[in-house]
């Protein structure tokens, strides 16, 4: 569904797809080889481990991190790549799941996809590309919710309350 959405978008905008190395294996399993992808999308790159993710994210307009609906993520909080992208001011398009909703407010600091429809994915990516404020709001969200100084004070207050009991 994502590739169908991106194919539709590629008729309107020129862009480069950047995948994690693992995605290459998944794409080939589903019948998408490099020649097909490059012919459809123009630029396709696969990256491995990055020492400086923030430097990389400075050049990325949108991070797409979709998950299968009704499957739990392996952690109780949003994946690190979402937090890293948002901290650099990069807009994230992700799946509307409880752990993702904890940080992304649809349309304000990122975009949430409710289903597995290529049309909805296409619309959300297009909105992300046309949003002028979502990236700034994403960074602001991270600074407010994950500021270590604020978190330390908050945890200290919780611990003091627990000690009293």
């Amino acid at each position: 569904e994502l590739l169908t959405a991106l194919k539709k978008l590629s008729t309107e905008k020129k862009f480069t797809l950047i995948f994690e190395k693992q995605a290459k294996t998944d794409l080939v399993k589903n019948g998408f080889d490099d020649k097909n992808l490059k012919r459809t999308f123009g630029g396709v790159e696969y990256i491995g481990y990055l020492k400086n993710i923030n430097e990389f994210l400075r050049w990325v307009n949108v991070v797409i991190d979709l998950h299968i609906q009704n499957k739990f993520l392996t952690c109780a909080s949003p994946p690190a790549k979402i937090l890293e992208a948002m901290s650099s001011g990069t807009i994230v398009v992700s799946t509307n799941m409880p752990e993702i909703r904890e940080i992304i407010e649809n349309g304000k600091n990122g975009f949430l996809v409710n289903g597995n429809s290529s049309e909805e994915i296409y619309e959300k990516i297009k909105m992300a590309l046309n949003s002028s404020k979502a990236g700034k709001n994403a960074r602001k969200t991270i600074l407010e919710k994950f500021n270590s100084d604020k978190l330390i004070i908050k945890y200290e207050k919780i611990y003091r309350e627990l000690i009293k009991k």
Side-chain angles (χ1 to χ4, degrees), residues 15-19 45 47 50 52-65 81 84-93 125 128-129 131 135:
F15 56 88
T16 299
L17 294 174
I18 303 171
F19 294 106
E45 294 179 35
I47 57 170
L50 296 172
N52 189 347
I53 188 75
N54 291 329
E55 182 65 30
F56 169 75
L57 288 170
R58 286 186 27 205
W59 303 104
V60 174
N61 295 36
V62 176
V63 167
I64 303 167
D65 186 54
K81 63 181 143 191
E84 290 167 340
M86 291 177 70
S87 73
S88 71
T90 304
I91 301 169
V92 175
V93 174
I125 294 170
L129 290 170
S131 175

Side-chain angles (χ1 to χ4, degrees), residues 79-140:
K81 63 181 143 191
I82 290 177
L83 299 174
E84 290 167 340
M86 291 177 70
S87 73
S88 71
T90 304
I91 301 169
V92 175
V93 174
S94 191
T95 310
N96 189 355
M97 298 174 73
E99 48 273 65
I100 307 297
R101 281 193 308 270
E102 286 180 18
I103 189 133
I104 295 179
E105 211 174 315
N106 191 34
K108 182 179 178 188
N109 63 359
F111 295 89
L112 297 172
V113 175
N114 291 312
N116 194 20
S117 146
S118 61
E119 188 60 32
E120 182 185 9
I121 295 168
Y122 160 78
E123 289 295 330
K124 296 296 178 152
I125 294 170
K126 195 170 175 181
M127 290 170 146
L129 290 170
N130 293 319
S131 175
S132 60
K133 293 184 179 180
K136 290 177 186 171
N137 289 339
R139 178 150 173 75
K140 183 178 175 185

Side-chain angles (χ1 to χ4, degrees), residues 12-72:
E12 302 167 16
K13 293 182 181 280
K14 184 170 174 63
F15 56 88
T16 299
L17 294 174
I18 303 171
F19 294 106
E20 296 170 321
K21 285 214 184 268
Q22 177 57 40
K24 186 172 188 173
T25 306
D26 295 340
L27 289 166
V28 170
K29 267 194 245 180
N30 289 296
F32 296 97
D33 62 11
D34 283 350
K35 285 182 187 176
N36 184 349
L37 289 170
K38 287 181 181 175
R39 185 174 52 250
T40 304
F41 301 111
V44 178
E45 294 179 35
Y46 299 97
I47 57 170
Y49 174 78
L50 296 172
K51 283 187 177 182
N52 189 347
I53 188 75
N54 291 329
E55 182 65 30
F56 169 75
L57 288 170
R58 286 186 27 205
W59 303 104
V60 174
N61 295 36
V62 176
V63 167
I64 303 167
D65 186 54
L66 299 175
H67 304 271
I68 297 171
Q69 287 284 16
N70 300 320
K71 298 274 183 181
F72 292 103

